Amino acid sequence: MNRPIVRLGIDLAAVAALLAVAVIGFGPTFDGPQYLVAGFGAIVVGLAIAWLGQWRRWGVLPVAGVTLAVYFLLGGALALPHTAFLGVIPTIETWRQLALGTVTSFKTLLTTVPPVAASDGHLIVPFLLTLVAAVLAGSLALRVRPAAWALLPALALTALQILLGASQPAAPLVQGLVFAAIAVVWLALRQTWDADSAAQRIDNPAATPSRPLRARRLIAGGAVLAIAAGVGIGTAAFATPPAQRYILRDFVVPPFDIHQYPSPLQSWRGIIRDDADSTLFTVGGLPDEARVRLATMDAYNGIVYNVSDDGAGSSSAFTPVRSNMSPTATGTETTVRIDIADYRGVWLPDVGAVTEIAFDGDRAGELRRSAHFNDATGTGIVTAGLTGGDAYTLQTRVSEVPSDSALADAQFAPLTMPKQEGVPESLSKLAAENLGDAETPIERVRALQDWLSTDGYFSHGLADDVYSPSGHGAARISMLFGNEQMIGDDEQYAVAMALLARQLGIPARVVMGWYPDEDEADAGVFTATGDNLHAWVEVAFDGFGWVPFDPTPDEDNEPNDQNTKPQANPKPQVLQPPPPAQEPADLPPTIADDREQDDDKEPGVDWLGPILLYGGIGLGLAALMMAPFIVLGLIKGARRARRRAAERTADRISGGWDELVDNAVDLRTPVVPGATRAESAQIVGTRFDEPRVATLATWADADVYGPGDPSPEEVDAFWAQVDELVGGMRQQTPWWRRLGARLSLRSLRRGRRS
């Protein structure tokens, strides 16, 4: 068997295995095995290009051109089969997406919740990255010594796969061990081959390593690998706890404004009235005493209770749904299934502290991509909107509600709550008056709850109910406490208790959702309707989290006087004398509204971060592909400068001749290494039909071997002739060969052999 062919096959197989380790790491990012077709296909094609370039002695530019052509020719079949004709032949749409995907595919992948769908063009990322890495790694393995340079593209691909992947990797320890094993064994083999070649070059049979020696080298390498693997596993398992995995997806948050959607509490009366008997959705696996949360609101502006504007950690801090939600949540792990029926809206019903959401149905991909979640409030939203037939499964942790005895010594959690605006002035006095003898935090909260639920009366204000206006603005809350009887439903009582608690410095918020009534507690599947919709208050206790409280009176607790509508009490009109003139009051200086000032501010630079990130990724890829061009240009430029600035003028003449011959060699002229100037001049002159090359060779021999050193003027004249001849040779060569010659490695290899 031909030994070079065997070594070539082993080199390509080792590089393919190293790249395959990185490709397999994309598994958690995609929702199917299609990424394997794109990744492994790119490995095969990329290594084939590397081998073809090495066989044909192509420079960097031809290899890059072939790589670009293959990307557009095979990208449809391997990355965008849904856009290609018969899944193989590229179309105009295929080429359009491939061209745009070199930049936009990375942004789309980072802003889409994994696992992503392969049909959305996300396969361009593993295909493009693996193709470029395969071409670079294969070319370095076949052309450059030492072979360890080939590990750099493979490591770069692995690093990019980690940064662009999901937060939960497939098997990072296995990936690292397999990569290290392949690299160590392959480099050990290459070291053995290089030693064999060196021994044969000096033609010393005694220096050729014997088979037992080579076997001992491989055994020693395997032992080192085994020891390193054992130390690595032991260190990872016992030395340090698992560290958090940082990925680009965690720092790239697509723009999302929760205030585009109205507070769900505004639609309270409509749901109660129109959907009382409608099945909005069903919940399977709901634990005992658990509640279904629709939205959590912690800010009040005198008109509506809504989410706040306080940024991170507040009720408005929604981020795309990740695979590792609520990582610090405690409670009993359970699985809850929710099937949507007549419910319509963007707010996502959920239970407990959600750790994972899996959407089902025909719109699963659309819902997953548009889902956002707030870990601080346990509230989800789907911008695509929920509709009949949608379904999803929640992995969640549900905690038991602590008893009053457990909260006896608990203090309120030290939280910073949003500032309340537009609160009726009388609420502070009412809250203080109705605390009674309450001293501990739990007693103070229970005092407020008991006052509202005991002294208040219940009414939805529908056709057959006692008059009770809808809404929870400042006027409606003032009306609740201003009438002879407190009349309202969950909407008014929950908001009233939260406002009263906040006047006392108690961290409280309003939650809207569902929970089973007593007669529905034992049902296997809970059915959410407008009739069992509720609102309640949550108070934060230190060490216990948010604890629910229900201030709404029982529905059977109806007001005594059925005629509770405000009555007009007209009095006889008496003409009153005009009031005396008064001095104009000293008004305080006008203070501009902060909100208007914020609206008038110039746009900030928040947009700059994503642009820099995506631009950096694009520039990084461009730099990765252009690096060989730049490096070779610098090497050849430095070689010319060194020759032109040699210490002896005779060496400058010799360097000028070498510059001429090297340019001819890069233009694919078959100059034999070690040939004399006359022999080289004959080959170059014949190739380009230029007799002045022979004259220049004679001139160089005379100046180099003649008596004395040539003058600087003679050197300048000689180099001028060299530049003129080189320019003429390039003009006789097609443009693609001229570009290839600038980045050809032939002259560099020729100089090394000489």
Side-chain angles (χ1 to χ4, degrees):
M1 183 177 296
N2 194 341
R3 294 182 66 187
I5 295 178
V6 174
R7 295 179 179 179
L8 176 66
I10 292 177
D11 286 342
L12 295 179
V15 174
L18 293 173
L19 297 174
V21 172
V23 170
I24 293 175
F26 279 105
T29 308
F30 291 88
D31 62 357
Q34 297 91 335
Y35 75 96
L36 296 175
V37 177
F40 289 151
I43 292 176
V44 174
V45 174
L47 293 182
I49 295 174
W51 171 80
L52 183 62
Q54 187 268 345
W55 177 53
R56 299 291 299 174
R57 301 292 181 184
W58 285 344
V60 176
L61 188 62
V63 171
V66 172
T67 304
L68 185 63
V70 167
Y71 171 74
F72 283 99
L73 289 177
L74 300 182
L78 296 177
L80 298 172
H82 58 285
T83 65
F85 180 66
L86 299 178
V88 177
I89 302 174
T91 61
I92 299 298
E93 178 62 18
T94 303
W95 288 335
R96 186 188 71 83
Q97 292 194 24
L98 287 173
L100 295 177
T102 56
V103 176
T104 61
S105 61
F106 298 93
K107 171 186 175 182
T108 305
L109 180 64
L110 287 175
T111 55
T112 304
V113 179
V116 301
S119 59
D120 293 339
H122 300 301
L123 290 178
I124 294 178
V125 173
F127 175 69
L128 175 60
L129 293 179
T130 307
L131 178 64
V132 173
V135 173
L136 292 177
S139 300
L140 292 173
L142 298 179
R143 301 190 184 199
V144 179
R145 300 294 182 272
W149 286 104
L151 298 180
L152 294 181
L155 288 172
L157 177 62
T158 304
L160 289 173
Q161 171 263 308
I162 293 173
L163 292 175
L164 298 172
S167 58
Q168 294 296 329
L173 184 59
V174 175
Q175 276 185 278
L177 290 177
V178 172
F179 190 98
I182 297 172
V184 170
V185 173
W186 178 51
L187 293 179
L189 285 174
R190 288 297 301 264
Q191 184 67 26
T192 303
W193 297 342
D194 292 342
D196 291 347
S197 301
Q200 294 171 4
R201 282 195 299 270
I202 63 176
D203 197 20
N204 184 3
T208 303
S210 62
R211 290 185 177 179
L213 179 58
R214 288 196 295 268
R216 287 196 299 271
R217 288 179 178 176
L218 291 179
I219 293 174
V224 171
L225 175 62
I227 294 173
V231 172
I233 294 175
T235 303
F238 301 105
T240 59
Q244 183 179 355
R245 179 184 174 102
Y246 293 97
I247 58 176
L248 291 177
R249 191 181 306 276
D250 293 335
F251 301 96
V252 179
V253 179
F256 174 75
D257 183 11
I258 188 62
H259 294 94
Q260 299 177 22
Y261 309 97
S263 169
L265 204 57
Q266 294 177 273
S267 61
W268 172 275
R269 186 62 59 89
I271 298 175
I272 294 293
R273 181 187 65 244
D274 301 332
D275 299 316
D277 299 324
S278 301
T279 300
L280 300 177
F281 57 88
T282 58
V283 183
L286 185 66
D288 294 340
E289 300 184 358
R291 304 187 180 205
V292 180
R293 180 190 302 103
L294 182 66
T296 302
M297 295 146 285
D298 58 3
Y300 187 74
N301 61 3
I303 300 174
V304 63
Y305 230 110
N306 205 346
V307 296
S308 64
D309 289 318
D310 292 349
S314 70
S315 59
S316 61
F318 283 77
T319 58
V321 171
R322 306 299 186 206
S323 58
N324 186 21
M325 301 160 54
S326 301
T328 60
T330 59
T332 303
E333 186 77 26
T334 185
T335 301
V336 176
R337 166 84 178 192
I338 297 180
D339 294 274
I340 305 298
D342 294 337
Y343 172 74
R344 300 292 183 272
V346 297
W347 298 91
L348 185 74
D350 64 74
V351 179
V354 180
T355 58
E356 184 177 350
I357 302 178
F359 291 95
D360 298 331
D362 298 336
R363 302 175 64 234
E366 181 182 4
L367 295 177
R368 182 177 64 250
R369 289 189 293 272
S370 64
H372 294 72
F373 200 81
N374 187 314
D375 287 332
T377 63
T379 305
I381 195 169
V382 178
T383 57
L386 293 172
T387 186
D390 294 336
Y392 52 96
T393 301
L394 304 175
Q395 297 295 331
T396 182
R397 294 187 177 97
V398 179
S399 301
E400 294 184 1
V401 178
S403 62
D404 286 7
S405 59
L407 296 171
D409 298 327
Q411 299 296 318
F412 295 124
L415 300 178
T416 301
M417 301 295 294
K419 182 180 179 181
Q420 307 288 32
E421 299 177 355
V423 180
E425 296 180 359
S426 60
L427 262 61
S428 178
K429 181 179 179 181
L430 287 173
E433 290 176 350
N434 289 277
L435 284 180
D437 298 331
E439 296 180 356
T440 64
I442 183 60
E443 290 176 349
R444 301 175 73 187
V445 178
R446 288 297 183 195
L448 294 177
Q449 177 194 14
D450 293 343
W451 169 49
L452 294 173
S453 61
T454 303
D455 294 355
Y457 296 94
F458 184 91
S459 174
H460 282 312
L462 301 180
D464 299 331
D465 297 336
V466 176
Y467 177 72
S468 176
S470 62
H472 54 275
R476 180 65 182 92
I477 299 302
S478 297
M479 177 182 174
L480 177 69
F481 296 115
N483 288 341
E484 294 182 0
Q485 301 179 101
M486 289 189 297
I487 303 175
D489 57 11
D490 298 55
E491 179 184 6
Q492 289 81 43
Y493 284 106
V495 171
M497 179 177 173
L499 294 178
L500 291 168
R502 291 295 309 278
Q503 295 303 302
L504 299 174
I506 300 174
R509 62 190 188 185
V510 176
V511 182
M512 178 177 172
W514 292 262
Y515 55 82
D517 297 332
E518 294 181 359
D519 56 345
E520 300 174 318
D522 297 332
V525 176
F526 169 65
T527 301
T529 65
D531 187 56
N532 54 24
L533 178 64
H534 295 283
W536 60 90
V537 175
E538 288 185 345
V539 176
F541 286 88
D542 193 14
F544 294 89
W546 293 94
V547 180
F549 295 88
D550 297 298
T552 306
D554 293 337
E555 295 188 13
D556 297 335
N557 191 13
E558 298 180 354
N560 298 325
D561 185 7
Q562 297 297 320
N563 187 15
T564 59
K565 294 185 179 180
Q567 298 291 331
N569 187 17
K571 296 182 180 180
Q573 297 182 0
V574 179
L575 183 62
Q576 301 292 330
Q582 297 181 358
E583 296 293 332
D586 294 333
L587 298 178
T590 302
I591 300 177
D593 187 2
D594 292 340
R595 185 177 298 274
E596 294 179 358
Q597 291 180 359
D598 292 341
D599 294 340
D600 295 338
K601 289 181 180 179
E602 294 295 329
V605 296
D606 294 341
W607 51 270
L608 188 59
I611 291 179
L612 292 177
L613 176 62
Y614 307 138
I617 294 176
L619 292 176
L621 290 175
L624 185 62
M625 299 185 67
M626 293 294 297
F629 297 76
I630 299 173
V631 171
L632 288 177
L634 292 175
I635 292 176
K636 291 185 178 181
R639 181 183 62 184
R640 173 186 171 88
R642 185 176 62 254
R643 291 169 173 173
R644 188 69 174 82
E647 183 178 357
R648 296 178 62 248
T649 54
D651 292 337
R652 299 177 196 173
I653 295 292
S654 178
W657 175 258
D658 291 339
E659 188 71 17
L660 172 69
V661 174
D662 285 343
N663 277 275
V665 169
D666 287 338
L667 291 170
R668 308 181 72 86
T669 303
V671 179
V672 180
T676 63
R677 292 189 180 91
E679 294 171 344
S680 300
Q682 183 178 2
I683 297 173
V684 175
T686 303
R687 167 68 174 78
F688 294 99
D689 192 18
E690 181 55 75
R692 289 184 297 171
V693 177
T695 304
L696 196 65
T698 303
W699 183 357
D701 285 339
D703 285 345
V704 172
Y705 299 116
D709 289 333
S711 65
E713 291 76 12
E714 292 178 332
V715 173
D716 294 339
F718 186 87
W719 273 89
Q721 285 289 324
V722 169
D723 293 338
E724 182 180 352
L725 289 175
V726 169
M729 290 188 296
R730 289 177 176 172
Q731 289 179 358
Q732 299 180 38
T733 307
W735 64 270
W736 62 86
R737 286 192 178 179
R738 291 201 303 269
L739 292 177
R742 291 184 181 276
L743 299 172
S744 174
L745 298 173
R746 291 183 178 85
S747 62
L748 298 177
R749 291 196 298 267
R750 175 179 177 273
R752 183 176 180 180
R753 288 194 297 268
S754 299

